[in-house]
Amino acid sequence: MPHPKEERTLVIIKPDGIQRSLVGEIIKRYEQIGLKLVAMKMLVPTAEHIEKHYTLDPEWRRITGEKTIKGYKDKGLTPPTEDPLEVTGILLERLKKYMTAGPVVAMVLEGAHAVKIVRKLTGGTEPLTSDVGTIRGDYVLDSYQMTDADGRSIRNLVHASGSVDEARQEIPHWFSKGELMEYRHIAEEILYN
Ligand code: GDP
Ligand code: MG
């Protein structure tokens, strides 16, 4: 078992984050809390790579479909279909369009509670309701009402692994072993020793 301070998470700055010139601002927030960058690269992902990314967890289609249908109903709206897999089929097509629209910056961050800390700094999925002070809450104003009207994905600047298990599956999907750096960062002495 690795020490808890060695927990790792995947972050992808999505094409809108690049186009909004927010790369530096976003990385700064993850760096300044004390997380260590252990991998980073820029690429234009393929549609296949994105589909695989979202379906690494075989349950993702069902869980996200059910969550999305519940979201419609909670707002008093009628979902486009009652079939969770059909719903995620639509979401996946839109995600592939969004995530392959241009270059993204992928990175791996390491540190204590890396997954939870990054999610906290990133904020909730829908920017309309993401907390103020988070990346999604501070820099973007999109909503599901907007994306439903326009038939597209929610523009929320970043992807961040949702759990330690998700991170374990996602990191090797984006980075080879040789791209993951093992090094001593001097701040670790102050944070952990
Ligand atoms: P994240 O981990 O915060 O990015 O969110 P999820 O893993 O739950 O969802 C992945 C992606 O699926 C999101 O970035 C959205 O594009 C889409 N998605 C998730 N939930 C919903 C929803 O309730 N409605 C819509 N329209 N899209 C959703
Ligand atoms: Mg997720």
Side-chain angles (χ1 to χ4, degrees):
M1 273 300 267
H3 188 279
K5 73 183 177 194
E6 288 162 21
E7 185 172 305
R8 288 179 168 185
T9 191
L10 178 81
V11 167
I12 302 161
I13 305 180
K14 298 179 179 183
D16 53 328
I18 312 292
Q19 294 298 328
R20 298 276 313 281
S21 302
L22 287 169
V23 174
E25 180 58 39
I26 291 167
I27 297 174
K28 185 184 85 178
R29 289 178 175 220
Y30 299 134
E31 268 191 314
Q32 286 188 338
I33 202 160
L35 293 171
K36 172 165 115 176
L37 256 177
V38 295
M40 182 154 69
K41 65 181 162 192
M42 190 175 217
L43 71 155
V44 181
T46 63
E48 295 69 42
H49 191 77
I50 295 303
E51 170 144 358
K52 181 85 189 147
H53 165 81
Y54 282 105
T55 54
L56 284 167
D57 173 3
E59 288 292 288
W60 183 86
R61 287 176 197 260
R62 184 183 57 77
I63 293 166
T64 307
E66 285 170 358
K67 193 189 79 176
T68 306
I69 291 171
K70 185 175 176 297
Y72 276 103
K73 292 186 174 166
D74 288 350
K75 281 180 248 162
L77 302 170
T78 315
T81 141
E82 287 287 338
D83 178 359
L85 300 186
E86 226 174 292
V87 169
T88 28
I90 299 167
L91 289 187
L92 260 183
E93 285 314 304
R94 293 176 182 174
L95 280 165
K96 284 192 272 185
K97 241 179 164 172
Y98 172 32
M99 294 294 286
T100 64
V104 304
V105 170
M107 73 195 84
V108 177
L109 293 151
E110 185 183 285
H113 313 292
V115 171
K116 271 197 184 157
I117 293 283
V118 163
R119 291 288 283 199
K120 184 176 78 163
L121 296 176
T122 302
T125 308
E126 186 189 23
L128 177 65
T129 57
S130 313
D131 288 333
V132 172
T134 65
I135 293 163
R136 288 166 171 171
D138 285 355
Y139 295 117
V140 71
L141 42 61
D142 210 8
S143 68
Y144 291 137
Q145 192 187 342
M146 293 281 298
T147 64
D148 284 346
D150 298 338
R152 59 169 174 79
S153 271
I154 194 109
R155 292 197 186 124
N156 58 13
L157 302 171
V158 272
H159 164 81
S161 304
S163 65
V164 173
D165 269 352
E166 214 174 273
R168 272 197 204 115
Q169 292 182 299
E170 290 177 352
I171 291 167
H173 183 58
W174 289 82
F175 290 94
S176 65
K177 221 166 179 286
E179 289 174 319
L180 297 162
M181 300 295 119
E182 304 268 353
Y183 67 99
R184 173 171 168 266
H185 194 303
I186 195 68
E188 289 171 86
E189 300 294 319
I190 298 155
L191 290 166
Y192 307 122
N193 291 3

